[in-house]
Coordinates of all heavy atoms in Angstrom, one line a residue:
M88 N -14.6 -6.3 0.1 CA -15.2 -5.8 -1.2 C -15.6 -6.9 -2.1 O -14.8 -7.9 -2.2 CB -14.1 -4.9 -1.9 CG -14.6 -4.2 -3.2 SD -15.9 -3.0 -2.9 CE -16.6 -2.8 -4.5
S89 N -16.8 -6.9 -2.6 CA -17.2 -8.0 -3.4 C -16.6 -8.0 -4.8 O -16.0 -7.0 -5.2 CB -18.7 -8.0 -3.6 OG -19.3 -6.8 -3.1
D90 N -16.7 -9.0 -5.5 CA -16.1 -9.1 -6.9 C -16.9 -8.2 -7.8 O -18.1 -7.9 -7.5 CB -16.2 -10.5 -7.4 CG -15.3 -11.5 -6.7 OD1 -14.3 -10.9 -6.1 OD2 -15.5 -12.7 -6.7
T91 N -16.3 -7.8 -8.9 CA -17.0 -7.0 -9.8 C -17.1 -7.7 -11.2 O -16.4 -8.7 -11.4 CB -16.2 -5.7 -10.1 OG1 -14.9 -6.0 -10.6 CG2 -16.1 -4.8 -8.9
I92 N -18.1 -7.3 -11.9 CA -18.3 -7.9 -13.3 C -18.4 -6.7 -14.3 O -18.7 -5.6 -13.9 CB -19.5 -8.8 -13.4 CG1 -20.8 -8.1 -13.1 CG2 -19.4 -10.0 -12.6 CD1 -22.0 -8.7 -13.7
Q93 N -18.2 -7.0 -15.5 CA -18.4 -6.0 -16.6 C -19.7 -6.2 -17.2 O -20.0 -7.2 -17.8 CB -17.2 -6.3 -17.6 CG -16.9 -5.1 -18.5 CD -16.3 -4.0 -17.8 OE1 -15.5 -4.2 -16.8 NE2 -16.5 -2.8 -18.2
C94 N -20.6 -5.2 -17.0 CA -21.9 -5.2 -17.6 C -21.9 -4.5 -18.9 O -21.3 -3.4 -19.1 CB -22.9 -4.5 -16.6 SG -24.6 -4.4 -17.3
H95 N -22.6 -5.0 -19.9 CA -22.6 -4.4 -21.2 C -23.3 -3.1 -21.2 O -23.2 -2.3 -22.1 CB -23.1 -5.3 -22.3 CG -24.5 -5.7 -22.2 ND1 -24.9 -6.6 -21.3 CD2 -25.6 -5.3 -22.9 CE1 -26.3 -6.8 -21.4 NE2 -26.7 -6.0 -22.3
V96 N -24.2 -2.9 -20.2 CA -24.9 -1.6 -20.1 C -24.2 -0.6 -19.1 O -24.0 0.5 -19.4 CB -26.4 -1.8 -19.6 CG1 -27.1 -0.5 -19.6 CG2 -27.1 -2.8 -20.6
H97 N -23.8 -1.2 -18.0 CA -23.4 -0.3 -16.9 C -21.9 -0.3 -16.6 O -21.4 0.4 -15.7 CB -24.1 -0.7 -15.6 CG -25.6 -0.7 -15.7 ND1 -26.4 -1.8 -15.8 CD2 -26.5 0.4 -15.8 CE1 -27.7 -1.5 -15.9 NE2 -27.7 -0.2 -15.9
G98 N -21.1 -1.1 -17.4 CA -19.7 -1.1 -17.2 C -19.3 -1.9 -16.0 O -20.0 -2.8 -15.6
E99 N -18.2 -1.6 -15.3 CA -17.8 -2.4 -14.2 C -18.6 -2.1 -13.0 O -18.8 -1.0 -12.6 CB -16.3 -2.1 -13.8 CG -15.8 -3.1 -12.9 CD -14.3 -2.9 -12.5 OE1 -13.7 -1.9 -13.1 OE2 -13.8 -3.6 -11.7
Q100 N -19.2 -3.2 -12.4 CA -20.2 -3.1 -11.3 C -19.9 -4.2 -10.4 O -19.3 -5.2 -10.7 CB -21.6 -3.1 -11.9 CG -22.0 -2.0 -12.7 CD -22.4 -0.8 -11.9 OE1 -22.7 -0.9 -10.7 NE2 -22.4 0.4 -12.5
Q101 N -20.5 -4.0 -9.2 CA -20.5 -5.1 -8.2 C -21.2 -6.3 -8.8 O -22.2 -6.2 -9.5 CB -21.3 -4.6 -7.0 CG -21.3 -5.6 -5.8 CD -22.3 -5.1 -4.7 OE1 -22.7 -4.0 -4.7 NE2 -22.5 -6.0 -3.8
E102 N -20.7 -7.5 -8.4 CA -21.3 -8.8 -8.9 C -22.5 -9.1 -7.9 O -22.3 -9.2 -6.7 CB -20.3 -9.8 -8.9 CG -20.7 -11.2 -9.4 CD -19.5 -12.2 -9.3 OE1 -19.1 -12.5 -8.2 OE2 -19.1 -12.6 -10.4
T103 N -23.7 -9.4 -8.5 CA -24.8 -9.8 -7.6 C -25.4 -11.1 -8.2 O -25.2 -11.4 -9.4 CB -25.9 -8.7 -7.5 OG1 -26.4 -8.5 -8.8 CG2 -25.3 -7.4 -7.0
F104 N -26.2 -11.8 -7.4 CA -26.8 -13.1 -7.8 C -28.3 -13.0 -7.6 O -28.8 -12.6 -6.6 CB -26.2 -14.2 -7.0 CG -24.7 -14.3 -7.1 CD1 -23.8 -13.7 -6.3 CD2 -24.2 -15.1 -8.2 CE1 -22.5 -13.8 -6.4 CE2 -22.8 -15.2 -8.4 CZ -22.0 -14.5 -7.5
V105 N -29.0 -13.4 -8.7 CA -30.5 -13.5 -8.6 C -30.9 -14.8 -9.2 O -30.2 -15.4 -10.0 CB -31.2 -12.3 -9.3 CG1 -30.7 -11.0 -8.8 CG2 -30.9 -12.4 -10.8
C106 N -32.2 -15.2 -9.0 CA -32.7 -16.4 -9.6 C -33.0 -16.1 -11.1 O -33.1 -15.0 -11.5 CB -33.9 -16.9 -8.9 SG -35.4 -16.1 -9.3
Q107 N -33.1 -17.2 -11.9 CA -33.3 -17.0 -13.3 C -34.5 -16.2 -13.7 O -34.6 -15.5 -14.7 CB -33.3 -18.4 -14.0 CG -34.4 -19.3 -13.4 CD -34.3 -20.7 -14.0 OE1 -33.9 -20.9 -15.2 NE2 -34.8 -21.7 -13.3
H108 N -35.6 -16.4 -12.8 CA -36.8 -15.7 -13.1 C -36.7 -14.2 -12.9 O -37.3 -13.4 -13.7 CB -37.9 -16.3 -12.2 CG -37.9 -17.8 -12.1 ND1 -37.3 -18.4 -11.0 CD2 -38.2 -18.7 -13.0 CE1 -37.3 -19.8 -11.3 NE2 -37.9 -20.0 -12.4
L109 N -35.9 -13.8 -11.9 CA -35.7 -12.3 -11.7 C -34.9 -11.8 -12.9 O -35.2 -10.7 -13.4 CB -35.0 -12.1 -10.4 CG -36.0 -12.1 -9.1 CD1 -35.1 -11.9 -7.9 CD2 -37.0 -11.0 -9.2
A110 N -33.9 -12.6 -13.3 CA -33.1 -12.1 -14.4 C -33.9 -12.0 -15.6 O -33.8 -11.0 -16.4 CB -31.9 -13.1 -14.6
E111 N -34.9 -12.9 -15.8 CA -35.8 -12.8 -17.0 C -36.7 -11.6 -16.9 O -37.0 -11.0 -17.9 CB -36.6 -14.1 -17.0 CG -36.4 -15.0 -18.1 CD -37.2 -16.3 -17.9 OE1 -38.4 -16.3 -17.7 OE2 -36.5 -17.4 -17.9
S112 N -37.1 -11.3 -15.7 CA -38.1 -10.2 -15.5 C -37.5 -8.9 -16.0 O -38.2 -8.0 -16.3 CB -38.6 -10.1 -14.1 OG -37.6 -9.5 -13.3
L113 N -36.2 -8.8 -16.0 CA -35.5 -7.6 -16.5 C -35.9 -7.4 -18.0 O -35.9 -6.3 -18.4 CB -34.0 -7.8 -16.3 CG -33.1 -6.6 -16.2 CD1 -33.6 -5.5 -15.2 CD2 -31.7 -6.9 -15.9
E114 N -36.0 -8.5 -18.7 CA -36.4 -8.4 -20.1 C -37.9 -8.3 -20.3 O -38.3 -7.5 -21.1 CB -36.0 -9.8 -20.8 CG -34.5 -10.2 -20.6 CD -33.6 -9.3 -21.4 OE1 -34.0 -8.9 -22.5 OE2 -32.4 -9.1 -21.0
T115 N -38.7 -9.1 -19.5 CA -40.1 -9.2 -19.8 C -40.9 -8.1 -19.0 O -42.1 -7.8 -19.3 CB -40.6 -10.5 -19.3 OG1 -40.4 -10.7 -17.9 CG2 -39.9 -11.6 -20.1
G116 N -40.3 -7.6 -17.9 CA -41.1 -6.6 -17.1 C -42.1 -7.3 -16.2 O -43.0 -6.6 -15.6
E117 N -42.1 -8.6 -16.2 CA -43.1 -9.4 -15.4 C -42.9 -9.2 -13.9 O -41.8 -9.2 -13.4 CB -42.9 -10.9 -15.8 CG -44.2 -11.7 -15.7 CD -44.0 -13.1 -16.1 OE1 -43.3 -13.3 -17.1 OE2 -44.4 -14.0 -15.3
K118 N -44.0 -9.2 -13.1 CA -43.9 -9.1 -11.7 C -43.8 -10.5 -11.1 O -44.8 -11.3 -11.3 CB -45.2 -8.4 -11.1 CG -45.3 -7.0 -11.5 CD -44.7 -6.1 -10.5 CE -45.0 -4.6 -10.9 NZ -44.1 -3.7 -10.1
V119 N -42.7 -10.9 -10.6 CA -42.5 -12.2 -10.1 C -42.2 -12.3 -8.6 O -42.0 -13.3 -8.0 CB -41.4 -13.0 -10.8 CG1 -41.7 -13.2 -12.3 CG2 -40.1 -12.2 -10.7
G120 N -42.3 -11.1 -7.9 CA -42.0 -11.0 -6.5 C -40.5 -10.8 -6.3 O -39.7 -11.0 -7.2
F121 N -40.1 -10.5 -5.0 CA -38.7 -10.2 -4.8 C -38.4 -10.6 -3.3 O -39.0 -10.0 -2.4 CB -38.4 -8.7 -5.0 CG -36.9 -8.4 -5.0 CD1 -36.2 -8.5 -6.2 CD2 -36.3 -8.0 -3.9 CE1 -34.8 -8.2 -6.2 CE2 -34.9 -7.7 -3.9 CZ -34.2 -7.8 -5.0
F122 N -37.6 -11.5 -3.1 CA -37.1 -11.9 -1.8 C -35.6 -11.9 -1.8 O -35.0 -12.2 -2.8 CB -37.5 -13.3 -1.4 CG -39.0 -13.5 -1.4 CD1 -39.8 -13.7 -2.5 CD2 -39.7 -13.5 -0.2 CE1 -41.2 -13.8 -2.5 CE2 -41.1 -13.6 -0.1 CZ -41.8 -13.8 -1.3
W123 N -35.0 -11.4 -0.7 CA -33.5 -11.4 -0.7 C -32.9 -11.6 0.7 O -33.7 -11.7 1.6 CB -33.0 -10.1 -1.4 CG -33.0 -8.9 -0.5 CD1 -31.9 -8.3 0.2 CD2 -34.1 -8.1 -0.1 NE1 -32.3 -7.2 0.9 CE2 -33.6 -7.1 0.7 CE3 -35.5 -8.1 -0.5 CZ2 -34.5 -6.1 1.3 CZ3 -36.3 -7.1 0.1 CH2 -35.8 -6.1 0.9
S124 N -31.6 -11.8 0.7 CA -31.0 -12.2 1.9 C -31.0 -11.2 3.0 O -30.7 -11.5 4.2 CB -29.5 -12.6 1.6 OG -28.8 -11.4 1.2
G125 N -31.4 -9.9 2.7 CA -31.5 -8.9 3.7 C -30.3 -7.9 3.7 O -30.4 -6.8 4.2
E126 N -29.2 -8.4 3.1 CA -28.1 -7.5 2.9 C -28.3 -6.6 1.7 O -29.0 -7.0 0.8 CB -26.8 -8.3 2.7 CG -26.4 -9.1 3.9 CD -25.5 -10.3 3.5 OE1 -24.7 -10.2 2.5 OE2 -25.7 -11.4 4.1
P127 N -27.6 -5.4 1.7 CA -27.7 -4.6 0.5 C -27.2 -5.4 -0.7 O -26.1 -6.0 -0.7 CB -26.8 -3.4 0.7 CG -26.5 -3.4 2.2 CD -26.7 -4.8 2.7
R128 N -28.0 -5.4 -1.8 CA -27.7 -6.2 -3.0 C -27.4 -7.7 -2.7 O -26.6 -8.3 -3.4 CB -26.6 -5.6 -3.8 CG -27.0 -4.2 -4.4 CD -25.9 -3.7 -5.2 NE -26.3 -2.5 -6.0 CZ -25.4 -1.7 -6.7 NH1 -24.2 -2.0 -6.7 NH2 -25.9 -0.7 -7.3
G129 N -28.0 -8.2 -1.6 CA -27.8 -9.6 -1.3 C -28.5 -10.5 -2.3 O -29.4 -10.1 -3.1
D130 N -28.2 -11.8 -2.3 CA -28.8 -12.8 -3.3 C -30.3 -12.6 -3.2 O -30.9 -12.6 -2.2 CB -28.4 -14.2 -2.9 CG -26.9 -14.4 -2.9 OD1 -26.1 -13.4 -3.3 OD2 -26.4 -15.5 -2.5
A131 N -30.9 -12.7 -4.4 CA -32.4 -12.4 -4.5 C -33.0 -13.5 -5.3 O -32.4 -14.1 -6.2 CB -32.6 -11.1 -5.1
W132 N -34.3 -13.7 -5.0 CA -35.1 -14.8 -5.7 C -36.6 -14.3 -5.7 O -37.0 -13.4 -5.0 CB -34.9 -16.1 -5.0 CG -35.3 -16.2 -3.6 CD1 -36.5 -16.6 -3.1 CD2 -34.5 -15.8 -2.4 NE1 -36.5 -16.5 -1.7 CE2 -35.2 -16.0 -1.3 CE3 -33.1 -15.4 -2.3 CZ2 -34.8 -15.8 0.0 CZ3 -32.7 -15.1 -1.0 CH2 -33.5 -15.3 0.1
C133 N -37.4 -15.0 -6.6 CA -38.8 -14.7 -6.8 C -39.7 -15.5 -5.9 O -39.3 -16.3 -5.2 CB -39.1 -14.9 -8.3 SG -39.3 -16.6 -8.7
S134 N -41.0 -15.1 -6.0 CA -42.0 -15.8 -5.1 C -42.1 -17.3 -5.4 O -42.2 -18.1 -4.5 CB -43.4 -15.3 -5.4 OG -43.4 -14.0 -5.8
E135 N -41.9 -17.7 -6.7 CA -42.0 -19.1 -7.0 C -40.8 -19.9 -6.3 O -41.0 -20.9 -5.8 CB -41.8 -19.2 -8.6 CG -42.3 -20.5 -9.2 CD -42.0 -20.4 -10.7 OE1 -42.5 -19.5 -11.3 OE2 -41.3 -21.3 -11.2
C136 N -39.6 -19.3 -6.4 CA -38.5 -19.9 -5.7 C -38.6 -19.9 -4.2 O -38.2 -20.8 -3.5 CB -37.2 -19.1 -6.1 SG -36.7 -19.4 -7.8
E137 N -39.3 -18.9 -3.7 CA -39.6 -18.8 -2.2 C -40.5 -20.0 -1.8 O -40.2 -20.6 -0.8 CB -40.3 -17.4 -1.9 CG -40.7 -17.3 -0.5 CD -39.6 -17.2 0.6 OE1 -38.4 -17.3 0.1 OE2 -39.9 -17.1 1.8
V138 N -41.5 -20.3 -2.6 CA -42.3 -21.4 -2.3 C -41.5 -22.7 -2.2 O -41.6 -23.5 -1.3 CB -43.4 -21.6 -3.4 CG1 -44.2 -22.9 -3.2 CG2 -44.4 -20.4 -3.3
V139 N -40.6 -22.9 -3.2 CA -39.8 -24.1 -3.2 C -38.8 -24.1 -2.0 O -38.6 -25.1 -1.4 CB -38.9 -24.2 -4.5 CG1 -38.1 -25.4 -4.5 CG2 -39.9 -24.2 -5.7
R140 N -38.3 -22.9 -1.7 CA -37.3 -22.8 -0.6 C -38.0 -23.3 0.7 O -37.4 -24.1 1.5 CB -36.8 -21.4 -0.4 CG -35.8 -21.2 0.7 CD -35.3 -19.8 0.8 NE -36.3 -18.9 1.4 CZ -36.3 -18.6 2.7 NH1 -35.4 -19.1 3.5 NH2 -37.3 -17.8 3.2
V141 N -39.2 -22.8 1.0 CA -39.9 -23.1 2.2 C -40.3 -24.6 2.2 O -40.2 -25.2 3.2 CB -41.1 -22.2 2.4 CG1 -42.0 -22.6 3.6 CG2 -40.7 -20.7 2.6
R142 N -40.7 -25.0 1.1 CA -41.2 -26.4 1.0 C -40.0 -27.4 1.2 O -40.1 -28.4 1.9 CB -41.8 -26.7 -0.4 CG -42.5 -28.1 -0.5 CD -43.1 -28.3 -1.9 NE -42.1 -28.3 -2.9 CZ -42.3 -27.9 -4.2 NH1 -43.4 -27.4 -4.5 NH2 -41.3 -28.0 -5.1
E143 N -38.8 -27.0 0.7 CA -37.6 -27.9 0.8 C -36.9 -27.7 2.1 O -36.4 -28.6 2.7 CB -36.7 -27.6 -0.4 CG -37.2 -28.0 -1.7 CD -37.3 -29.5 -1.9 OE1 -36.5 -30.3 -1.2 OE2 -38.2 -30.0 -2.6
G144 N -36.9 -26.4 2.6 CA -36.0 -26.1 3.7 C -36.8 -26.0 5.0 O -36.2 -25.8 6.1
G145 N -38.1 -26.0 5.0 CA -38.9 -25.9 6.2 C -38.7 -24.6 6.9 O -38.4 -23.6 6.2
A146 N -38.9 -24.6 8.2 CA -38.9 -23.3 8.9 C -37.5 -22.6 8.8 O -37.5 -21.4 8.8 CB -39.2 -23.6 10.4
S147 N -36.5 -23.4 8.8 CA -35.1 -22.8 8.7 C -34.9 -22.1 7.4 O -34.1 -21.2 7.2 CB -34.0 -23.8 9.0 OG -34.0 -24.8 8.0
G148 N -35.6 -22.7 6.4 CA -35.5 -22.1 5.0 C -34.2 -22.3 4.3 O -33.8 -21.5 3.5
H149 N -33.4 -23.3 4.8 CA -32.2 -23.5 4.1 C -32.3 -24.0 2.7 O -33.2 -24.8 2.4 CB -31.3 -24.6 4.9 CG -30.7 -24.0 6.1 ND1 -29.9 -22.8 6.0 CD2 -30.7 -24.3 7.4 CE1 -29.5 -22.5 7.3 NE2 -30.0 -23.4 8.1
W150 N -31.5 -23.6 1.8 CA -31.5 -24.0 0.4 C -30.9 -25.4 0.4 O -30.0 -25.7 1.1 CB -30.6 -23.1 -0.4 CG -31.2 -21.7 -0.5 CD1 -30.8 -20.6 0.3 CD2 -32.2 -21.2 -1.3 NE1 -31.5 -19.5 -0.1 CE2 -32.4 -19.9 -1.0 CE3 -33.1 -21.8 -2.3 CZ2 -33.4 -19.1 -1.7 CZ3 -34.0 -21.1 -2.9 CH2 -34.2 -19.7 -2.6
N151 N -31.4 -26.2 -0.5 CA -30.8 -27.5 -0.7 C -30.7 -27.7 -2.2 O -30.9 -26.8 -3.0 CB -31.6 -28.7 -0.1 CG -33.0 -28.9 -0.8 OD1 -33.3 -28.3 -1.8 ND2 -33.9 -29.6 -0.1
E152 N -30.3 -28.9 -2.6 CA -29.9 -29.2 -4.0 C -31.2 -28.9 -4.9 O -31.0 -28.3 -6.0 CB -29.5 -30.6 -4.2 CG -28.5 -30.9 -5.2 CD -28.0 -32.3 -5.1 OE1 -27.1 -32.6 -4.2 OE2 -28.5 -33.1 -5.9
R153 N -32.3 -29.3 -4.5 CA -33.5 -29.2 -5.3 C -34.0 -27.7 -5.4 O -34.3 -27.2 -6.5 CB -34.7 -30.0 -4.7 CG -34.6 -31.5 -5.2 CD -35.9 -32.2 -4.9 NE -36.2 -32.2 -3.4 CZ -35.8 -33.1 -2.6 NH1 -35.1 -34.1 -3.0 NH2 -36.1 -33.1 -1.3
S154 N -34.0 -27.0 -4.3 CA -34.4 -25.6 -4.4 C -33.4 -24.7 -5.1 O -33.7 -23.8 -5.8 CB -34.7 -25.0 -3.0 OG -33.6 -25.2 -2.1
E155 N -32.1 -25.1 -5.0 CA -31.1 -24.4 -5.7 C -31.2 -24.6 -7.2 O -30.9 -23.7 -8.0 CB -29.7 -24.7 -5.2 CG -29.4 -23.8 -4.0 CD -28.0 -24.0 -3.4 OE1 -27.2 -24.8 -3.9 OE2 -27.7 -23.3 -2.4
K156 N -31.6 -25.8 -7.6 CA -31.8 -26.1 -9.0 C -32.9 -25.3 -9.6 O -32.8 -24.8 -10.7 CB -32.1 -27.6 -9.1 CG -31.8 -28.1 -10.5 CD -31.9 -29.6 -10.6 CE -31.9 -30.1 -12.0 NZ -32.5 -31.4 -12.2
A157 N -34.0 -25.1 -8.8 CA -35.1 -24.3 -9.2 C -34.7 -22.8 -9.4 O -35.2 -22.1 -10.3 CB -36.2 -24.4 -8.2
L158 N -33.8 -22.4 -8.6 CA -33.3 -21.0 -8.7 C -32.6 -20.7 -10.0 O -32.9 -19.7 -10.6 CB -32.2 -20.8 -7.6 CG -32.6 -20.4 -6.2 CD1 -31.3 -20.3 -5.4 CD2 -33.4 -19.1 -6.1
G159 N -31.7 -21.6 -10.4 CA -30.9 -21.4 -11.6 C -30.2 -20.1 -11.6 O -30.3 -19.2 -12.5
I160 N -29.5 -19.9 -10.5 CA -28.8 -18.6 -10.2 C -28.1 -17.9 -11.4 O -27.4 -18.6 -12.2 CB -27.7 -18.8 -9.1 CG1 -28.4 -18.9 -7.7 CG2 -26.7 -17.8 -9.1 CD1 -28.9 -17.5 -7.2
E161 N -28.4 -16.7 -11.6 CA -27.7 -15.9 -12.7 C -27.0 -14.7 -12.0 O -27.4 -14.2 -11.0 CB -28.7 -15.4 -13.7 CG -29.5 -16.5 -14.3 CD -29.7 -16.3 -15.8 OE1 -29.2 -15.3 -16.3 OE2 -30.4 -17.1 -16.4
I162 N -25.9 -14.3 -12.7 CA -25.1 -13.2 -12.2 C -25.7 -11.9 -12.9 O -25.9 -11.9 -14.1 CB -23.6 -13.3 -12.5 CG1 -23.1 -14.6 -11.8 CG2 -22.9 -12.1 -12.2 CD1 -21.7 -14.9 -12.2
L163 N -25.9 -10.9 -12.1 CA -26.3 -9.6 -12.6 C -25.3 -8.5 -12.1 O -24.7 -8.7 -11.0 CB -27.7 -9.2 -12.1 CG -28.9 -9.8 -12.7 CD1 -30.1 -9.0 -12.2 CD2 -28.9 -9.7 -14.3
C164 N -25.2 -7.4 -12.8 CA -24.4 -6.3 -12.2 C -25.2 -5.6 -11.2 O -26.5 -5.7 -11.2 CB -23.9 -5.4 -13.3 SG -24.9 -3.9 -13.6
G165 N -24.6 -4.9 -10.3 CA -25.3 -4.2 -9.2 C -26.4 -3.3 -9.7 O -27.4 -3.2 -9.1
A166 N -26.1 -2.6 -10.8 CA -27.1 -1.6 -11.3 C -28.3 -2.3 -11.9 O -29.4 -1.9 -11.8 CB -26.4 -0.7 -12.3
C167 N -28.0 -3.4 -12.6 CA -29.1 -4.3 -13.1 C -30.0 -4.8 -12.0 O -31.2 -4.9 -12.0 CB -28.6 -5.4 -14.0 SG -28.0 -4.8 -15.6
Y168 N -29.3 -5.2 -10.9 CA -29.9 -5.8 -9.7 C -30.9 -4.7 -9.1 O -32.0 -5.0 -8.8 CB -28.9 -6.1 -8.7 CG -29.4 -6.6 -7.3 CD1 -29.4 -8.0 -7.1 CD2 -29.8 -5.8 -6.3 CE1 -29.9 -8.5 -5.9 CE2 -30.3 -6.2 -5.1 CZ -30.3 -7.6 -4.9 OH -30.8 -8.0 -3.7
D169 N -30.4 -3.5 -9.0 CA -31.3 -2.4 -8.5 C -32.5 -2.2 -9.4 O -33.6 -1.9 -8.9 CB -30.4 -1.1 -8.5 CG -29.4 -1.1 -7.4 OD1 -29.4 -2.0 -6.5 OD2 -28.5 -0.3 -7.4
R170 N -32.3 -2.3 -10.7 CA -33.4 -2.2 -11.7 C -34.5 -3.3 -11.4 O -35.7 -3.0 -11.5 CB -32.9 -2.3 -13.1 CG -32.4 -0.9 -13.6 CD -32.0 -1.0 -15.1 NE -33.1 -1.5 -15.9 CZ -32.9 -2.2 -17.1 NH1 -31.7 -2.5 -17.5 NH2 -33.9 -2.6 -17.8
V171 N -34.0 -4.5 -11.2 CA -34.9 -5.6 -11.0 C -35.7 -5.4 -9.7 O -36.9 -5.5 -9.7 CB -34.2 -7.0 -10.8 CG1 -35.1 -8.1 -10.3 CG2 -33.6 -7.4 -12.2
R172 N -35.0 -4.9 -8.7 CA -35.7 -4.7 -7.4 C -36.7 -3.6 -7.5 O -37.8 -3.8 -7.0 CB -34.6 -4.3 -6.3 CG -35.2 -4.3 -4.9 CD -34.2 -4.0 -3.9 NE -33.5 -2.8 -4.2 CZ -32.4 -2.4 -3.7 NH1 -31.7 -3.2 -2.9 NH2 -31.8 -1.3 -4.0
E173 N -36.4 -2.6 -8.2 CA -37.3 -1.5 -8.4 C -38.6 -1.9 -9.2 O -39.7 -1.6 -8.9 CB -36.6 -0.4 -9.2 CG -37.0 1.0 -8.7 CD -36.0 2.0 -9.3 OE1 -34.9 2.2 -8.7 OE2 -36.3 2.6 -10.4
L174 N -38.3 -2.7 -10.3 CA -39.3 -3.3 -11.1 C -40.3 -4.1 -10.3 O -41.5 -4.1 -10.6 CB -38.6 -4.2 -12.2 CG -39.4 -4.8 -13.3 CD1 -39.8 -3.7 -14.3 CD2 -38.7 -5.9 -14.0
Q175 N -39.8 -4.8 -9.3 CA -40.6 -5.7 -8.5 C -41.3 -4.9 -7.4 O -42.0 -5.5 -6.6 CB -39.8 -6.9 -8.0 CG -39.2 -7.8 -9.0 CD -40.3 -8.3 -10.0 OE1 -41.4 -8.4 -9.7 NE2 -39.8 -8.6 -11.2
G176 N -41.0 -3.6 -7.3 CA -41.6 -2.8 -6.3 C -41.0 -2.8 -4.9 O -41.6 -2.6 -3.9
F177 N -39.6 -3.1 -4.8 CA -38.9 -3.1 -3.6 C -37.8 -2.1 -3.5 O -37.4 -1.5 -4.5 CB -38.4 -4.5 -3.3 CG -39.5 -5.5 -2.9 CD1 -40.2 -6.1 -3.9 CD2 -39.8 -5.7 -1.6 CE1 -41.2 -7.0 -3.6 CE2 -40.8 -6.6 -1.3 CZ -41.5 -7.3 -2.3
Ligands
LIG34 ZN1 -37.1 -17.6 -9.2
LIG35 ZN1 -26.0 -3.8 -15.6

């Protein structure tokens, strides 16, 4: 079972991780793309971060210090994560 966090909107929820741009899109409604690890509510990032990931990690797509810095990972509650994904059309 994953860790939980207390969301000021949704109460106690699963803890999820997204890049700063996806977290921001929740406020702005901006379309920034949506990529994720493939697991339900897996770590997610935007198109901009995807470009950096591929540039830094090559074919294997491994994250490194530079691409992780671009991510600026933020914690979201599971319900907020679902809202972001829906907002981005996934
Ligand atoms: Zn991003
Ligand atoms: Zn929430």
Side-chain angles (χ1 to χ4, degrees):
M88 184 66 197
S89 10
D90 290 339
T91 59
I92 58 156
Q93 200 67 33
C94 174
H95 65 284
V96 182
H97 303 105
E99 192 179 356
Q100 291 283 337
Q101 183 188 350
E102 184 181 65
T103 63
F104 300 92
V105 303
C106 79
Q107 56 183 333
H108 316 101
L109 280 176
E111 244 170 59
S112 78
L113 203 51
E114 308 283 328
T115 61
E117 208 181 315
K118 296 267 185 196
V119 295
F121 191 88
F122 297 82
W123 80 103
S124 66
E126 291 154 38
R128 288 182 175 173
D130 301 356
W132 58 94
C133 73
S134 328
E135 202 181 303
C136 291
E137 174 67 1
V138 170
V139 180
R140 181 179 76 94
V141 171
R142 192 178 64 212
E143 293 292 331
S147 65
H149 282 307
W150 296 98
N151 67 14
E152 216 172 277
R153 278 193 298 271
S154 50
E155 276 181 359
K156 200 170 169 202
L158 276 177
I160 281 290
E161 299 219 5
I162 297 172
L163 283 188
C164 97
C167 287
Y168 179 99
D169 292 346
R170 274 184 56 208
V171 170
R172 190 177 55 199
E173 218 166 276
L174 185 75
Q175 301 303 335
F177 287 84

